[in-house]
Amino acid sequence: QVQLVESGGGLVQAGGSLRLSCAASGRIFSSYTMGWFRQAPGKEREFVAAIRWSGGSTSYADSVKGRFTISRDNVKTTVTLQMNSLKPEDTAVYYCATGRATSYYLREQYDYWGQGTQVTVSS
């Protein structure tokens, strides 16, 4: 019903910046939430940030608050994650997801997931 494609990942030095994008296609529900999650090798997928398609209210994990910014373009159905002051511990595969997600930090409340994009931060 919905396809999500992430882009913008890569290799960056600590303190640098990257901008991730997620393009959505198919049946997009304006009432849904868009979330960014990340997963490092051997670890569980964790919540990073979320935004409402309608209204644009945002939420962030404490670990990225003040460094990352999530935004969306409702017309182009794209979501962006601007990542500044990157740290080695930010290294992970980053996934975008969308769904009903009233509890935005719970991955099981998202219905659709992208394939992920690798972010590597070197020290």
Side-chain angles (χ1 to χ4, degrees), residues 4-5 16 22 29 31 33 39 44 53 60 67 71 77-78 81-82 85 90 110 116:
L4 304 173
V5 180
C22 178
F29 299 94
S31 61
T33 296
Q39 187 168 21
E44 295 294 319
W53 281 109
Y60 297 92
R67 299 188 297 121
S71 60
T77 59
T78 59
L81 184 68
Q82 178 66 45
S85 302
D90 294 318
Y110 291 82

Side-chain angles (χ1 to χ4, degrees), residues 41-61:
K43 296 184 178 180
E44 295 294 319
R45 193 170 300 184
E46 66 176 0
F47 169 76
V48 176
I51 188 168
R52 293 282 186 179
W53 281 109
S54 179
S57 61
T58 59
S59 298
Y60 297 92

